[in-house]
Amino acid sequence: MTPTGVCGSYFPVIHITGNGAVINGRKGRGSCSWTGSLSVQGGFQFYGIVIIKGSLKTSGGGGTPAHFWGQP
């Protein structure tokens, strides 16, 4: 998440298939597509383009709410 860090210019393309994917409190960036349902819990943050071809459910967040930032 640091532009001047070791992976500062790395923006992967991520593709996940299947229903029932659950992400809890992680960070990511790049381009991401899901071809199923996705459940986001806790303080998940993603920087980049996200396409979900199913349902999206969000819950929780605590001190850090979940965010999808549209541009890397």
Side-chain angles (χ1 to χ4, degrees):
M1 293 300 134
T2 305
T4 58
V6 175
C7 296
S9 62
Y10 180 62
F11 296 97
V13 175
I14 304 163
H15 179 75
I16 299 172
T17 60
N19 285 317
V22 177
I23 300 175
N24 189 350
R26 302 288 182 175
K27 293 181 182 180
R29 65 180 180 174
S31 296
C32 190
S33 65
W34 275 272
T35 55
S37 62
L38 172 64
S39 177
V40 175
Q41 304 168 357
F44 173 72
Q45 295 187 35
F46 193 88
Y47 298 85
I49 304 302
V50 176
I51 299 169
I52 301 170
K53 188 181 176 182
S55 63
L56 171 65
K57 177 183 176 185
T58 59
S59 63
T64 307
H67 281 103
F68 290 90
W69 306 96
Q71 297 184 42

